[in-house]
């Protein structure tokens, strides 16, 4: 039971791993040997900084509505934060996630991306 404004854990699954696939512009989510879905991205260099545009979050239908998208976005944002990257959240799921977990708002890039 959720009381007093407590949030559900961001990651509720075991044995998750992510695999970056730069050729396809995505970070894949796996549970053991099962492909769950991916977060599409594009990287841009702005001055000395790397800005990652988070384009879309896709979870296989059979895994939908079970917290996998939340886990994937959490893992990706934690890694980007650790690497010192900024983000542009084009994906509507990531935008909603940032409203729910405002501690990641400082990652949002406020400038203009190169054409």
């Amino acid at each position: 039971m959720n009381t007093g404004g407590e949030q559900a854990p961001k990651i509720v699954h075991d044995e998750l791993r992510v695999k970056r696939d730069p050729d396809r512009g995505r970070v894949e989510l796996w549970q053991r040997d099962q492909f769950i879905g991916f977060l599409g991205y594009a990287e841009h260099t702005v001055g000395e900084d790397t800005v990652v545009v988070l384009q879309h979050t896709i979870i296989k239908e059979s895994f939908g509505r079970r917290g996998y998208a939340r886990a994937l976005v959490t893992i990706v944002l934690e890694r980007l934060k650790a690497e010192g990257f900024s983000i542009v959240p084009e994906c509507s799921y990531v935008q909603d996630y940032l409203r729910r977990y405002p501690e990641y708002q400082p990652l949002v890039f406020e400038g203009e991306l190169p054409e």
Side-chain angles (χ1 to χ4, degrees):
M1 183 171 178
N2 192 353
T3 60
E6 296 171 16
Q7 290 183 327
K10 293 179 197 158
I11 300 175
V12 297
H13 303 286
D14 295 325
E15 299 186 51
L16 294 179
R17 64 184 170 89
V18 294
K19 183 175 99 178
R20 189 167 169 260
D21 184 348
D23 293 335
R24 296 172 84 177
R26 66 191 208 173
V27 178
E28 298 175 346
L29 180 66
W30 294 78
Q31 187 171 38
R32 293 179 284 285
D33 62 350
Q34 179 69 51
F35 174 76
I36 305 294
F38 66 91
L39 177 56
Y41 73 91
E43 286 186 16
H44 298 274
T45 301
V46 179
E48 301 288 316
D49 300 321
T50 299
V51 178
V52 180
V53 178
L54 301 176
Q55 300 167 324
H56 46 262
T57 304
I58 307 292
I59 299 296
K60 286 175 63 175
E61 191 173 338
S62 58
F63 293 99
R65 315 276 319 148
R66 298 191 349 220
Y68 286 103
R70 183 175 63 239
L72 174 57
V73 171
T74 299
I75 293 166
V76 168
L77 290 179
E78 284 294 327
R79 288 193 177 181
L80 293 173
K81 183 170 130 180
E83 294 172 18
F85 294 170
S86 298
I87 64 165
V88 174
E90 284 183 353
C91 170
S92 60
Y93 183 86
V94 174
Q95 292 168 3
D96 290 342
Y97 181 98
L98 291 172
R99 282 189 280 280
R100 187 170 179 191
Y101 302 103
E103 63 266 31
Y104 294 103
Q105 281 291 338
L107 294 176
V108 176
F109 180 71
E110 300 294 340
E112 292 290 318
L113 291 176
E115 291 290 324

